[in-house]
Amino acid sequence: MINASLKQLSQALAARQISSVELSTLFLDRIERLNPTLNAFVTVDREKSLLMARAADARIAAGTAGPLTGIPIAQKDIFCAEGWTTTCGSKMLANFVSPYDATVIHKMHAEAGLVSLGKTNMDEFAMGSSNETSFFGPVRNPWDSSRVPGGSSGGSAAAVAARLAPAATGTDTGGSIRQPAALCNLTGLKPTYGVVSRYGMIAFASSLDQAGPMAASAEDCALLLNTMVGFDERDSTSLDRPVEDYTAGLDKPLNGLRIGLPKEFFGEGCDAEVMAAVRAAIAEYEKLGATTVEVSLPNSHLSVPAYYVIAPAEASSNLSRFDGARYGYRAPDYANLEQMYEKTRAQGFGAEVKRRIMIGAYVLSHGYYDAYYLQAQRIRRLIADDFVAAFKQCDVIMGPTSPSTAFKLGEKAADPVQMYLSDIYTIAVNLAGLPGMSVPCGFVGGLPVGLQLIGNYFAEGQLLNVAHRYQQATDWHQRRAVIA
Amino acid sequence: MNQWEVVIGIETHAQLATVSKIFSGASTAFGAAPNTQACAVDLALPGVLPVLNKKAVECAIRFGLAIGAEVAPKSVFARKNYFYPDLPKGYQISQMDLPVVVGGNITLQVGQGDKAYEKVVRLTRAHLEEDAGKSLHEDFQGKSGIDLNRAGTPLLEIVSEPDMRSSDEAVAYAKSLHALVQWIGICDGNMQEGSFRCDANVSVRPKGQAEFGTRREIKNLNSFRFLKEAIDFEVQWQINEIEEGRRIVQATVLFDPDTGETRMMRSKEDAHDYRYFPDPDLLPLVISSEWMARVQGELPELPGQMRERFVSELGLSAYDASALTASQEIAGFFQATVAGAGKANAKPCANWVMVDLAARLNKEGKDIADSPVSATQLAGLILRIADNTISNNIAKKVFEALWNGEGASADEVIDKQGLKQITDSGAIASLVDEVLAANPANVAEFKAGKEKAFNALVGQVMKAAKGKANPQQVNDLLKQKLAG
């Protein structure tokens, strides 16, 4: 059961081979045993989870269950969930119990009947690529506990990779689903911006943030994505589109699929062995009937600098609400209002968050706005245009997800620029608002490598299909970390 | 004073008359217990998102159409970033570069009687924004209280060009604007509750000088009297400063109604850098021509149009037309009165509404909407004056009786109280004879050339007739008999 797919779990629950309470208990016990090593979860509440599991069992008994009712999953601690401590990986919110459900949580709990096992660790306010900026300590990579799981959805990635949960939610602002998926041998999908509601998902960079599934396979991602999407009148950037079943097209053959290979993704800057694994995966696709074409994303080298203007700018404003006035952390000693703000924010935020708030405040300030913020927005438009042009020549774009496999804890922590470059291949996708995936495609020195798939707008179904067919032909995604 | 010219521009915050807030579903009703009308969005809980209230947009469209402005087909909401405890998000959502309303103008009547003149004030722009909450610095023993009921209340900030040249013009502008926003139903105009408040930008320059002097902004004037007093004080202060050889420094000042003085709040050097940038949580506001046409169709006849119609169709003076279009209620009452009394009686209708009725309402502190005398009753009264059934003097009695509910109509009162004018010349002649016989002294005085004696005799006849004799007939008959 621990290694079962969501489809298998769904069938087992429907056939009453196992109850949701039993299944949830299985995973809760496993979390209890392994989480002290991995630090993947920051909050577990057995009672709450079992309450949901009992409700799910009742729905199954009453015949009102959906396909995923009763299946336990892990929730990134960026989603507000009523009655749950919701920290976003920060001291600032270490004591914050959400009085409401994020739309994604509501859909999963109230509609789909999924059971939340707990809240997973993450980089503080999703700012990081290694899960080392969390107030609650770093997460260990199940494939090598001296290494990072990636970030910011590092807790979700480690939890699924170590089978502490069958699947998890993540969020992706610059690669925070895809990069940890790659580093932990998972399949992860960042949907088109606007497909999943952002309501109740604590904002990092509003114009880039998007939630998505992280699981062992494309099929699991498709099932989970079905429960997450949909127009939400509480999110003005949510898109009102017909709902689709992402599992429907999984098996379509890939004959004639045109794969675009951006020359900028296959040059310098990527580990040679990682690149070899990616090229091998592309060769596998050719066997499956796909053809390749070289495309160009000429402005992609500008994506990291543009991102590190836009994302901090939005973050500096989004995080202003954490002022100690209404909820969350407040410094114990202050003489006046100014001091309350200064001390609360100095003590409540970690170094990386403060760095980005300062960058953001700087690029938005009078006299610098045009040179930084507006210029970055122009670059963003150029980057999106590059993709539009590329998709005239191909159906899906492929390349590496991350330039390296999982690095050592502490290896890049002192060098923010090196850390920022871990997302060199993923960031452009967020800037353009496109859907992107990471799919396991091999190992280097015992560490997983991810293949990145980038689709056109709303091509989530196609990406899942492309990933699924590959997973039918390969078994990289079925390999499991051995946990001591 | 005479060699100085005053330059005034006014920024007005009009609270829009919507049921719910501009970006949340919470109620905007005034006077609720603190923090009972602040929902998750107003409290800026982590993860919440704003959703624009279409009713607030319609208010802005109405205003734009009413002042002949351009309603922007696309406008953008921006974040104005600053920290204050009554600003929960740490930023205010407002509009900066692309406001919803651009340009337009308002025509004012300044002064009364011979000195009255018309003035056109141009508007720069009007934009939508949210109000902040309230800080309560009293009653908390060393601590401040925060009431977020007002946070998120929709405001239209209306900015005039620096077109006003005296405090009288400033007040006339503010009054016209105040009347207009109520006329078109977008603001309740309640200045005590802060629904309509003005900031005045004031500067002085030597007459004939083209460039403006340095301005100081007087904040938060919530009555017309304070507006006038504050400007008058500020103007004199600035002139004194300059005449004593000091320079005016750009600043924001507050008016203290108790001392009648303005005092410095902050200088330009202390001004915040608000780090405005487009709010990524809200899409640009797009107003289609269809939407605009629909709102146009729902607009009432505007006061300016009505004023012109009253002059051209009803032959009223510009001053009367202006007074009768001070509010929808007055205009409605007047039009209903004319409808009952006929266009030929428009002038007496205007006089009755503006003079007699207004004075009576004023005395009782009543609104015209609550007038005990209805427009139909007043029209009936005016018709009886017009057809000589009663004199103007008797009419005042009948009006008083109607006010006190002593009859359902003027006719009923006239009938019941026997107030019908005596027009039978035989009856009047006999009264005249009686008076002449009883007052030989007056007769003698008149014949000796004392004109005053005639008036005394008229008075005696009217008294004998209990006021009901037709005054013209009394005059004529008296003259005849005295001459005879």
Side-chain angles (χ1 to χ4, degrees):
Chain A
M1 283 297 168
I2 289 299
N3 286 317
S5 70
L6 296 191
K7 198 172 175 182
Q8 289 165 335
L9 292 176
S10 176
Q11 286 162 352
L13 285 162
R16 314 289 172 87
Q17 287 163 0
I18 193 166
S19 71
S20 175
V21 168
E22 288 163 340
L23 186 62
S24 302
T25 304
L26 203 63
F27 281 101
L28 287 165
D29 289 350
R30 201 169 156 79
I31 292 168
E32 204 169 287
R33 189 158 58 83
L34 296 173
N35 196 54
T37 318
L38 294 169
N39 200 25
F41 284 86
V42 291
T43 304
V44 178
D45 189 328
R46 186 178 284 263
E47 236 172 83
K48 270 203 186 68
S49 299
L50 293 180
L51 204 67
M52 283 187 258
R54 277 192 286 276
D57 283 333
R59 274 179 69 174
I60 293 166
T64 58
L68 300 190
T69 302
I71 293 178
I73 61 160
Q75 306 285 6
K76 184 174 182 179
D77 204 19
I78 199 168
F79 295 102
C80 286
E82 191 179 338
W84 288 82
T85 304
T86 301
T87 71
C88 223
S90 182
K91 179 180 180 181
M92 192 60 96
L93 290 175
N95 65 0
F96 177 70
V97 178
S98 176
Y100 79 101
D101 273 344
T103 297
V104 165
I105 296 288
H106 176 80
K107 280 175 169 288
M108 289 186 159
H109 286 175
E111 293 172 23
L114 284 153
V115 174
S116 287
L117 293 167
K119 310 292 286 293
T120 58
N121 205 343
M122 56 182 285
D123 279 298
E124 185 179 9
F125 288 105
M127 298 177 191
S129 309
S130 67
N131 218 115
E132 291 170 292
T133 72
S134 170
F135 173 65
F136 302 97
V139 177
R140 308 268 167 175
N141 190 319
W143 293 88
D144 177 348
S145 65
S146 71
R147 292 177 187 270
V148 303
S152 67
S153 311
S156 285
V160 180
R163 304 313 289 170
L164 304 189
T169 52
T171 63
D172 191 317
T173 305
S176 283
I177 287 175
R178 290 161 288 158
Q179 185 253 16
L183 270 46
C184 292
N185 208 44
L186 298 182
T187 307
L189 169 67
K190 179 206 96 74
T192 306
Y193 183 81
V195 164
V196 178
S197 168
R198 292 187 298 114
Y199 187 79
M201 187 178 118
I202 299 175
F204 160 17
S206 312
S207 74
L208 300 159
D209 296 343
Q210 186 64 195
M214 301 176 80
S217 69
E219 185 187 57
D220 285 0
C221 283
L223 282 164
L224 205 53
L225 185 62
N226 277 347
T227 69
M228 300 174 77
V229 299
F231 172 67
D232 181 4
E233 58 180 16
R234 285 180 300 186
D235 175 0
S236 308
T237 61
S238 157
L239 296 162
D240 197 357
R241 315 181 59 249
V243 176
E244 50 183 305
D245 175 4
Y246 294 103
T247 63
L250 285 175
D251 291 320
K252 272 193 226 162
L254 301 185
N255 295 327
L257 179 79
R258 295 172 303 162
I259 299 173
L261 304 176
K263 58 182 182 194
E264 294 79 6
F265 285 11
F266 290 87
E268 284 173 13
C270 185
D271 178 273
E273 290 176 287
V274 166
M275 190 53 84
V278 168
R279 288 197 182 278
I282 291 161
E284 183 64 37
Y285 270 107
E286 288 176 318
K287 282 193 221 160
L288 293 171
T291 58
T292 62
V293 57
E294 186 184 87
V295 294
S296 180
L297 303 170
N299 294 292
S300 61
H301 65 291
L302 297 172
S303 60
V304 171
Y307 175 88
Y308 278 97
V309 170
I310 293 167
E314 294 180 8
S316 70
S317 176
N318 283 334
L319 269 58
S320 293
R321 68 188 58 197
F322 306 111
D323 57 5
R326 298 170 311 289
Y327 51 78
Y329 180 77
R330 186 193 290 183
D333 300 305
Y334 49 88
N336 53 41
L337 179 64
E338 195 118 317
Q339 271 191 21
M340 180 184 98
Y341 286 147
E342 278 179 17
K343 292 190 170 186
T344 294
R345 290 168 65 82
Q347 295 163 16
F349 290 135
E352 182 60 27
V353 170
K354 279 186 269 197
R355 178 180 295 121
R356 296 203 197 184
I357 289 173
M358 284 188 282
I359 294 171
Y362 178 79
V363 301
L364 289 177
S365 57
H366 189 72
Y368 297 94
Y369 180 85
D370 289 9
Y372 290 101
Y373 183 80
L374 277 188
Q375 191 71 355
Q377 292 291 9
R378 285 187 202 107
I379 292 169
R380 183 175 188 173
R381 165 56 52 199
L382 294 177
I383 287 169
D385 290 347
D386 286 352
F387 278 109
V388 170
F391 279 119
K392 286 186 177 143
Q393 293 173 263
C394 64
D395 305 308
V396 57
I397 288 170
M398 290 190 192
T401 303
S402 169
S404 72
T405 54
F407 44 91
K408 294 264 188 193
L409 281 159
E411 188 182 325
K412 297 184 183 178
D415 187 345
V417 174
Q418 274 309 305
M419 189 71 89
Y420 296 171
L421 289 172
S422 337
D423 296 327
I424 191 162
Y425 301 123
T426 49
I427 275 175
V429 175
N430 300 79
L431 289 171
L434 292 164
M437 275 188 90
S438 185
V439 178
C441 73
F443 288 81
V444 171
L447 295 170
V449 175
L451 170 72
Q452 184 175 210
L453 317 180
I454 303 167
N456 214 332
Y457 295 103
F458 310 114
E460 287 79 9
Q462 185 186 37
L463 285 184
L464 288 161
N465 162 227
V466 170
H468 179 70
R469 292 299 298 205
Y470 176 76
Q471 292 179 339
Q472 297 301 101
T474 59
D475 70 347
W476 303 114
H477 66 291
Q478 288 172 352
R479 309 231 180 145
R480 297 282 177 262
V482 180
I483 308 181
Chain B
M1 178 78 204
N2 280 334
Q3 71 270 31
W4 295 101
E5 183 175 48
V6 180
V7 175
I8 304 162
I10 292 184
E11 291 172 23
T12 306
H13 287 91
Q15 181 179 318
L16 299 175
T18 56
V19 175
S20 58
K21 294 187 178 177
I22 185 166
F23 298 117
S24 85
S27 166
T28 54
F30 180 82
N35 297 310
T36 56
Q37 286 176 179
C39 68
V41 173
D42 306 319
L43 294 171
L45 290 186
V48 296
L49 296 170
V51 176
L52 180 60
N53 181 344
K54 284 211 163 59
K55 293 285 176 202
V57 178
E58 291 199 355
C59 289
I61 300 174
R62 277 178 160 245
F63 181 73
L65 293 171
I67 59 163
E70 186 210 340
V71 175
K74 182 180 151 182
S75 62
V76 169
F77 286 97
R79 293 184 183 178
K80 178 181 181 180
N81 294 284
Y82 66 96
F83 287 98
Y84 205 69
D86 60 21
L87 187 72
K89 294 187 294 298
Y91 58 84
Q92 178 196 28
I93 305 177
S94 180
Q95 296 189 305
M96 182 62 181
D97 290 338
L98 295 171
V100 63
V101 171
V102 181
N105 57 67
I106 291 182
T107 304
L108 336 167
Q109 307 291 322
V110 190
Q112 284 191 23
D114 294 347
K115 285 186 231 148
Y117 61 98
E118 202 172 83
K119 164 124 191 166
V120 177
V121 172
R122 295 164 302 155
L123 297 193
T124 315
R125 60 185 278 165
H127 67 254
L128 286 163
E129 63 182 26
E130 58 179 343
D131 208 344
K134 264 187 199 155
S135 294
L136 311 161
H137 297 298
E138 305 88 26
D139 308 336
F140 290 94
Q141 290 144 1
K143 294 184 181 178
S144 290
I146 306 292
D147 178 4
L148 295 177
N149 283 354
R150 202 180 63 185
T153 297
L155 299 176
L156 190 67
E157 180 173 332
I158 303 158
V159 183
S160 85
E161 290 287 307
D163 281 354
M164 288 147 278
R165 295 291 173 267
S166 68
S167 60
D168 285 336
E169 288 186 1
V171 170
Y173 165 78
K175 283 186 171 169
S176 292
L177 189 62
H178 185 246
L180 179 67
V181 294
Q182 292 177 82
W183 185 283
I184 59 175
I186 66 168
C187 174
D188 69 14
N190 192 322
M191 296 178 82
Q192 264 104 48
E193 291 176 5
S195 296
F196 186 92
R197 43 194 203 261
C198 296
D199 304 334
N201 280 291
V202 179
S203 65
V204 297
R205 62 180 169 189
K207 271 190 184 148
Q209 179 181 304
E211 58 271 28
F212 294 132
T214 304
R215 68 175 192 270
R216 304 212 312 164
E217 182 180 18
I218 315 168
K219 280 274 180 201
N220 255 329
L221 297 160
N222 65 353
S223 84
F224 298 124
R225 187 163 65 88
F226 293 164
L227 178 65
K228 180 163 171 57
E229 286 175 11
I231 292 172
D232 287 343
F233 176 87
E234 178 65 23
V235 164
Q236 200 50 56
W237 183 87
Q238 288 190 15
I239 291 169
N240 289 349
E241 287 290 294
I242 296 168
E243 286 181 344
E244 282 168 29
R246 288 187 287 271
R247 277 179 48 232
I248 303 296
V249 178
Q250 194 178 326
T252 303
V253 302
L254 283 177
F255 175 68
D256 182 346
D258 294 332
T259 61
E261 296 179 359
T262 55
R263 67 185 151 77
M264 178 115 128
M265 199 167 124
R266 58 173 184 262
S267 75
K268 198 195 174 193
E269 283 71 46
D270 308 329
H272 291 285
D273 179 352
Y274 290 116
R275 290 173 280 118
Y276 279 100
F277 74 108
D279 192 332
D281 287 332
L282 292 160
L283 302 177
L285 169 57
V286 174
I287 297 171
S288 65
S289 47
E290 292 76 30
W291 193 5
M292 234 177 330
R294 188 165 59 71
V295 176
Q296 176 85 66
E298 292 162 6
L299 266 185
E301 185 182 17
L302 296 170
Q305 300 164 337
M306 200 179 268
R307 220 157 34 224
E308 281 172 30
R309 187 164 59 78
F310 286 177
V311 172
S312 63
E313 272 184 24
L314 304 178
L316 300 187
S317 70
Y319 177 78
D320 286 359
S322 177
L324 288 166
T325 51
S327 75
Q328 285 267 25
E329 289 70 28
I330 293 172
F333 196 98
F334 169 69
Q335 297 204 91
T337 309
V338 173
K343 282 186 187 177
N345 289 317
K347 180 65 190 165
C349 287
N351 285 338
W352 273 94
V353 172
M354 283 161 42
V355 182
D356 302 274
L357 178 64
R360 196 70 179 82
L361 289 167
N362 201 29
K363 194 175 152 196
E364 307 263 319
K366 276 190 155 77
D367 271 352
I368 196 160
D370 307 321
S371 170
V373 179
S374 71
T376 313
Q377 288 174 322
L378 185 61
L381 176 65
I382 290 164
L383 281 174
R384 293 293 84 83
I385 304 167
D387 67 10
N388 275 329
T389 306
I390 52 173
S391 67
N392 261 315
N393 273 335
I394 291 292
K396 291 189 202 312
K397 266 194 187 170
V398 176
F399 176 80
E400 196 57 29
L402 287 170
W403 183 279
N404 294 323
E406 291 163 22
S409 66
D411 286 339
E412 192 188 315
V413 172
I414 292 166
D415 216 38
K416 259 206 286 195
Q417 304 192 7
L419 298 175
K420 195 170 187 305
Q421 186 161 255
I422 302 163
T423 49
D424 173 356
S425 36
I428 297 175
S430 62
L431 285 171
V432 168
D433 288 340
E434 282 169 31
V435 167
L436 290 177
N439 295 282
N442 289 116
V443 175
E445 277 176 31
F446 177 77
K447 291 199 165 156
K450 279 196 177 172
E451 284 291 322
K452 262 191 184 170
F454 183 78
N455 291 339
L457 288 167
V458 172
Q460 291 294 330
V461 176
M462 290 305 284
K463 193 178 168 190
K466 298 195 179 88
K468 291 184 288 182
N470 181 308
Q472 197 55 52
Q473 283 176 291
V474 171
N475 263 335
D476 292 348
L477 277 168
L478 255 179
K479 269 185 198 155
Q480 257 180 44
K481 303 243 174 197
L482 287 166

